[in-house]
Amino acid sequence: MLIAIDPHDPRSLYVQIIDEIRRAIVLGHLRPDDALPSVRQLAVELRINPNTVSQAYRELERQGVVLVRRGQGTFVSGAAANGAERSTLASAVAARALRDARRNGLTADDLIDAIRTTATNGRREDTP
Amino acid sequence: MTTTATSSAALPTTLADTSFAVATSRLTKRYGAQIALRDLALQIPSGAFYLLVGPNGAGKSTTLKLLMDLLRADAGSAEVLGLDVRKAGPSVRANVGYVPERHEWGYGWMRVGRMLRHHARYFATWDDAYAGRLARLFELKLDRKLKALSKGEARRVHLTMALAHRPPLLLLDEPIDGLDPLMRDETLGLLAEHLSSTPTTVLLSTHHVQEVERLADHIGVLRTGELRAQMTLAELRAGLRRYRAEVPDGWKGVPMLNGAVLRSATSPREIEWTVWGLEQEVTRRFADAGATVREAAPLSLHEATLALLNSKGDRS
């Protein structure tokens, strides 16, 4: 599993880690009972404060996405791989798109229409 | 903080914590007639990674030297790890890993390897295996004489000496300045690893926040010897936003917002203001004044620092 963070992203580092792990679960790169990287591993890899990683893991535990087994590490919980992660992730993507739309003076309906049209055109191009 | 104070408030300079690894009170230092630090009230919570930022000459290095009792304050007091630095200088220095900004070796003839062994004897908690590993990762040349070291090499020797005894407090004065990009990256990784294995409070002074911001959780902004703001990075993210709004012709501004606007750019129909305050409150005040907020975006730490540095000192 790869976790990428971007200091220029408007999301805080800890939210980015949570989103990245949720993304890995939705994509099937992380499955129930898989171990997450240790706090130390991820902190060193991303050059971030280990407290930020712990904070993200605690929040994921609170949401029931991961389980902490004392002395063993942090694991994807059995309940995590269902559609709930998918829809949580979709909401986050939608919120970002809406913010961008509003910034450009577009309404939610403008955005939804444009997404439908673009997705339809895209499908047409994909299927010869 | 009351609601009225929020949108026209001074920037925060005190923290809510109660346990501080470093706390100074009215700390003041003069060099002749020039004031280097004025009434500094630094608060660094135990376990924090605190960035002290500011332009050259703001008083960052002076602050660190006062905390090490390498300089004497003209007024005020400083406590480090619960010790009064004026009364317990040696104990403070025994419990702190310090990387100075300038490297003035007392023993220029000494070789790096000997310096490390010499340094180790002063610290009961010196970890020989760790020192060896740091020396390897920092690519120290142990047979070089100290006086022959480049700035970057000297920095790496100091980092090794500061980390190898796993002190409860690190005072790092521009620690990655003078290192090449690869070595900077290596150093940030080593710091992340160090924090994972050793409970440490860190005070790091820099004028390049981008490179170290991923490790930090607190910030203090120093300008011409005065602390302009001091807060957690979470507070900064939540409290400082760049607002883009559409405004009607002949717009007069937002009367209740004056004190909290750090930066403003105005064109006839669109404005971009950087405002300190709760987003809901600020957006409501913009709306009350006839403006339509299109975006309220958090700033990068670099932009936020510039905005705080450019703020007027007195906004009451």
Side-chain angles (χ1 to χ4, degrees), chain A residues 10-116:
Chain A
R11 290 171 296 165
S12 69
L13 290 179
Y14 123 94
V15 172
Q16 289 186 50
I17 294 171
I18 291 174
D19 286 354
E20 282 285 287
I21 286 171
R22 195 173 266 116
R23 176 177 163 273
I25 292 171
V26 167
L27 290 170
H29 299 167
L30 268 182
R31 298 185 185 150
D33 291 326
D34 278 358
L36 265 57
S38 72
V39 168
R40 177 201 186 100
Q41 243 178 323
L42 199 54
V44 173
E45 194 180 302
L46 301 175
R47 273 77 171 116
I48 62 178
N49 196 307
N51 290 334
T52 308
V53 181
S54 305
Q55 192 192 1
Y57 282 12
R58 272 201 306 278
E59 179 57 24
L60 285 165
E61 189 186 19
R62 201 188 61 76
Q63 295 175 7
V65 178
V66 303
L67 294 169
V68 177
R69 296 192 196 128
R70 301 282 156 228
Q72 293 183 61
T74 306
F75 298 84
V76 178
S77 83
N82 56 30
E85 301 318 317
R86 208 180 168 79
S87 67
T88 309
L89 194 63
S91 306
V93 172
R96 290 205 289 279
L98 265 176
R99 250 198 313 279
D100 203 12
R102 215 171 293 132
R103 195 168 67 85
N104 286 289
L106 303 170
T107 66
D109 284 337
D110 292 338
L111 177 65
I112 292 165
D113 288 347
I115 289 175
R116 281 221 183 82

Side-chain angles (χ1 to χ4, degrees), chain B residues 231-312:
Chain B
M231 63 186 107
T232 66
L233 291 187
E235 279 177 275
L236 182 59
R237 279 187 71 81
L240 192 63
R241 293 275 146 98
R242 178 170 35 230
Y243 295 81
R244 288 183 78 172
E246 277 156 29
V247 296
D249 287 326
W251 195 63
K252 295 275 191 293
V254 187
M256 298 296 287
L257 218 50
N258 290 340
V261 181
L262 300 184
R263 287 188 148 187
S264 62
T266 309
S267 78
R269 291 188 193 87
E270 194 180 26
I271 57 161
E272 186 181 281
W273 284 14
T274 300
V275 184
W276 173 259
L278 292 176
E279 183 182 330
Q280 264 188 321
E281 174 91 0
V282 175
T283 304
R284 193 174 59 70
R285 287 183 193 277
F286 269 116
D288 289 350
T292 311
V293 173
R294 288 272 173 229
E295 184 183 28
L299 280 67
S300 73
L301 190 59
H302 175 66
E303 295 168 319
T305 307
L306 288 178
L308 293 174
L309 280 171
N310 287 326
S311 68
K312 301 275 179 295

Side-chain angles (χ1 to χ4, degrees), chain B residues 211-232:
Chain B
E211 295 185 89
V212 283
E213 65 173 289
R214 290 176 174 209
L215 285 165
D217 48 29
H218 285 71
I219 190 164
V221 177
L222 202 57
R223 179 159 186 189
T224 53
E226 287 180 53
L227 201 57
R228 290 294 176 86
Q230 172 169 250
M231 63 186 107
T232 66

Side-chain angles (χ1 to χ4, degrees), chain B residues 19-39:
Chain B
S19 166
F20 296 113
V22 174
T24 71
S25 170
R26 313 212 59 161
L27 197 64
T28 300
K29 176 70 188 173
R30 289 186 204 91
Y31 295 115
Q34 199 192 342
I35 292 205
L37 276 181
R38 187 200 302 271
D39 290 341

